[in-house]
Amino acid sequence: MSDETTEAPRGRSAAGSAALGAFSGGAIIEGEIYGKALAQEHRPVTPPRNKQSFGRWFVDKGWRHLVAWVVIIFALLPLLYILSASLNPIGTLTGSNQLFSQFSTRNYERLFNDPSIPYGAWYVNSLIIAIVTSVATVFLCALGAYAFSRMRFTGRRFGLATLLVLQMFPQLLAITAIFLLMIQIGDVFPAIGLGTHAGLIIVYLGGALGVNVFLMYGFFNTIPPALDEAAKIDGAGHARVFFTIILPLVTPILVVVGLLVFIGTIGEFAIASVILTDPNTQTVAIGLFQLVSGFQSQNWGIFSAGAILAALPVMLIFFLSQRYISSGLTSGSVK
């Protein structure tokens, strides 16, 4: 009897506690919901921002769009004009004033079918000279930049200053001296004398090493010397450090220098016209100039078609190496 009476109040008290806890929990949740709703009701409402007027927008940033479109049109108009002239069978610039008034591929066909225009040989010669000059310039400049950046030797500062001073005098000023020098070299070493591709490549290398070595030198200084020291502790020499550690890290500047040299070489005319005397060894720039240099034999349609085709390798290399260009030009400017 006593056991039953004692267990009953305990059960009722447990049930009451559970009910009280559920009630208090629900009340707390309802209170939180009511508090959030009340806070949202009394939250200050931000007035909508007034729409900016066209005049205000144009003064702030709109004029930049206008300038950008003017620059784009100014850059594209000559390209569209020469493309229209290459597709015009008339062959004169006056007949191409109306863009794309006529459409014909006759000018492109004559470049490769006319026996008096060895455009294919000119094209191959230009590519060979430009590629060999670019690769040799990148390799030699990388060697020179590594030596100036990582080694300490007598005459180092004088050598860097000399590279800068030499760039003050363009290679075109020495064109007469280069011509006479190539004649004398051809008497001793005909393979690299006047009228040879090897001689022209050597001349190009002499003019491209200075500024490119200094450009790579600034980029090499951004590579931590601790990498070289760690490799030397493991027994690596300068050659292994240069080829396995430094070159992979400086790929952007190598691509930039190669691209700049390729563009400058494939379109160079003055020095190439002096050294390359044989029509079969001449480049595209010399050959195209001969097409429009005559008084009564100026065929600007074929000239435009040849110029369009000559620009294709440059555009292809530019698009393939575009992701390296920005980093290669800016990374070496900050130490």
Side-chain angles (χ1 to χ4, degrees):
M1 181 72 178
S2 59
D3 296 337
E4 294 176 357
T5 55
T6 55
E7 290 176 359
R10 290 177 182 176
R12 286 195 298 270
S13 61
S17 301
L20 181 62
F23 175 77
S24 0
I28 291 173
I29 294 174
E30 291 179 358
E32 291 179 355
I33 296 174
Y34 177 75
K36 292 180 179 179
L38 186 63
Q40 292 178 356
E41 291 179 0
H42 293 281
R43 179 180 299 174
V45 179
T46 304
R49 182 179 298 178
N50 295 331
K51 188 175 181 180
Q52 192 177 19
S53 63
F54 176 78
R56 181 72 176 177
W57 172 83
F58 185 82
V59 172
D60 289 343
K61 61 182 71 173
W63 63 272
R64 303 176 186 177
H65 297 269
L66 180 61
V67 172
W69 278 109
V70 171
V71 172
I72 291 173
I73 295 174
F74 183 78
L76 290 180
L77 187 59
L79 300 179
L80 294 176
Y81 186 81
I82 194 170
L83 180 60
S84 175
S86 67
L87 297 174
N88 194 329
I90 297 178
T92 60
L93 294 180
T94 56
S96 304
N97 290 334
Q98 295 181 355
L99 297 180
F100 303 101
S101 59
Q102 299 186 32
F103 185 86
S104 174
T105 59
R106 197 177 88 179
N107 293 325
Y108 293 92
E109 295 174 358
R110 284 192 60 188
L111 284 176
F112 299 97
N113 296 330
D114 193 341
S116 62
I117 306 175
Y119 184 80
W122 297 341
Y123 203 88
V124 173
N125 294 336
S126 298
L127 289 179
I128 292 175
I129 294 173
I131 293 174
V132 174
T133 303
S134 302
V135 174
T137 300
V138 168
F139 181 69
L140 295 177
C141 289
L143 291 176
Y146 177 79
F148 282 116
S149 177
R150 290 299 193 263
M151 301 178 184
R152 298 297 180 265
F153 51 89
T154 304
R156 173 176 170 272
R157 292 184 178 275
F158 178 77
L160 289 173
T162 303
L163 291 177
L164 289 179
V165 172
L166 289 177
Q167 302 311 307
M168 298 174 58
F169 306 96
Q171 198 176 20
L172 189 61
L173 295 177
I175 190 169
T176 303
I178 291 174
F179 176 74
L180 297 177
L181 183 63
M182 295 303 295
I183 292 177
Q184 296 179 4
I185 291 177
D187 295 336
V188 182
F189 302 102
I192 58 174
L194 192 67
T196 61
H197 291 167
L200 181 61
I201 292 173
I202 292 175
V203 174
Y204 284 156
L205 290 177
L209 289 179
V211 63
N212 293 319
V213 168
F214 203 85
L215 182 63
M216 286 190 181
Y217 166 75
F219 198 97
F220 276 49
N221 288 338
T222 62
I223 306 300
L227 298 176
D228 305 11
E229 297 173 358
K232 291 178 181 178
I233 291 175
D234 294 336
H238 284 294
R240 182 172 293 274
V241 171
F242 176 74
F243 286 104
T244 61
I245 297 177
I246 300 298
L247 284 187
L249 295 176
V250 297
T251 302
I253 194 62
L254 301 180
V255 175
V256 169
V257 171
L259 177 63
L260 295 178
V261 174
F262 184 87
I263 295 174
T265 302
I266 202 170
E268 202 279 327
F269 169 77
I271 298 177
S273 62
V274 172
I275 295 179
L276 300 179
T277 55
D278 188 0
N280 294 324
T281 61
Q282 291 175 345
T283 60
V284 171
I286 306 173
L288 293 180
F289 174 76
Q290 294 177 355
L291 295 178
V292 295
S293 60
F295 181 72
Q296 295 180 346
S297 60
Q298 296 179 352
N299 197 326
W300 291 99
I302 299 179
F303 177 88
S304 302
I308 293 293
L309 294 179
L312 293 180
V314 178
M315 295 175 58
L316 178 62
I317 295 177
F318 178 80
F319 284 122
L320 293 178
S321 60
Q322 190 173 7
R323 63 192 183 99
Y324 295 105
I325 293 176
S326 58
S327 59
L329 289 175
T330 59
S331 297
S333 61
V334 181
K335 297 178 68 175

